[in-house]
Amino acid sequence: MSDIATRVTQGVQALAADHLRREMWQAQHRAGLLTDAQTYEALADAIESDLKGRAVDGDMPWSATMRARKRVKPLRKAAKAMREAAASIGGTVTAYETTDPATVAQARQDKALRKAERKGAAAAALNTATARAVERLAPAQSDEESAGAPKVLGDYFKNQRGA
């Protein structure tokens, strides 16, 4: 039990340490898990070949092979689980690094800044569109102009073409 507690404590300390120590911890544990997976695979191969050679009276030609595969299936599953665990070690380290409080705070600040910029750009576009609409719909400023006379050059050309 103390071995598990010691390993967990060392893992947490390695994650909290600098980048180099985290990489060393990651490589060490990945190698250990992959070694365990290879051990389980080798054990499964040895047991399977032994069981294939043990024929029982009344067996069909394939019965020993099927029985051997059935018996080593848990070992193969354990080896697969070890390989998956080795692959997930990198994700654990990355998740730990990306949840660093300083990194999270900076990401939130950057997101808020981008949001404020988008809102400002949208407000500016709305103000411009509103100003143009008011310009077009404004009452005439002199007696020669009619109300809603084109004030924008594009509107003038639209009216000239009969659009």
Side-chain angles (χ1 to χ4, degrees):
M1 184 65 152
S2 67
D3 182 45
I4 293 172
T6 303
R7 290 174 65 187
V8 168
T9 304
Q10 289 173 348
V12 171
Q13 289 172 348
L15 287 173
D18 62 340
H19 185 69
L20 181 62
R21 187 159 174 212
R22 275 194 297 266
E23 284 184 358
M24 288 174 37
W25 176 84
Q26 179 180 358
Q28 176 188 4
H29 284 280
R30 184 183 296 129
L33 289 167
L34 291 175
T35 301
D36 290 347
Q38 289 173 342
T39 303
Y40 289 147
E41 284 289 342
L43 182 60
D45 290 341
I47 291 173
E48 186 174 5
S49 74
D50 182 49
L51 290 176
K52 280 181 183 178
R54 295 181 181 188
V56 178
D57 289 339
D59 270 357
M60 299 300 268
W62 60 83
S63 295
T65 303
M66 294 293 287
R67 192 171 37 254
R69 283 188 185 157
K70 189 176 185 180
R71 299 296 177 243
V72 298
K73 195 172 189 179
L75 283 173
R76 301 238 189 254
K77 282 185 177 181
K80 182 180 178 185
M82 290 294 167
R83 286 191 298 272
E84 289 174 356
S88 70
I89 290 288
T92 302
V93 171
T94 302
Y96 193 84
E97 289 174 350
T98 57
T99 56
D100 177 46
T103 306
V104 171
Q106 184 63 40
R108 286 180 181 165
Q109 200 172 32
D110 293 345
K111 183 179 177 181
L113 181 63
R114 287 191 306 271
K115 183 178 179 180
E117 288 173 354
R118 281 194 313 271
K119 286 180 106 175
L126 179 63
N127 288 340
T128 303
T130 304
R132 290 186 66 196
V134 168
E135 250 181 56
R136 279 189 234 123
L137 299 175
Q141 294 178 355
S142 65
D143 292 335
E144 296 102 37
E145 294 179 6
S146 61
K151 305 276 188 207
V152 180
L153 192 57
D155 290 344
Y156 176 76
F157 285 118
K158 283 182 190 174
N159 289 340
Q160 291 297 321
R161 284 187 253 154

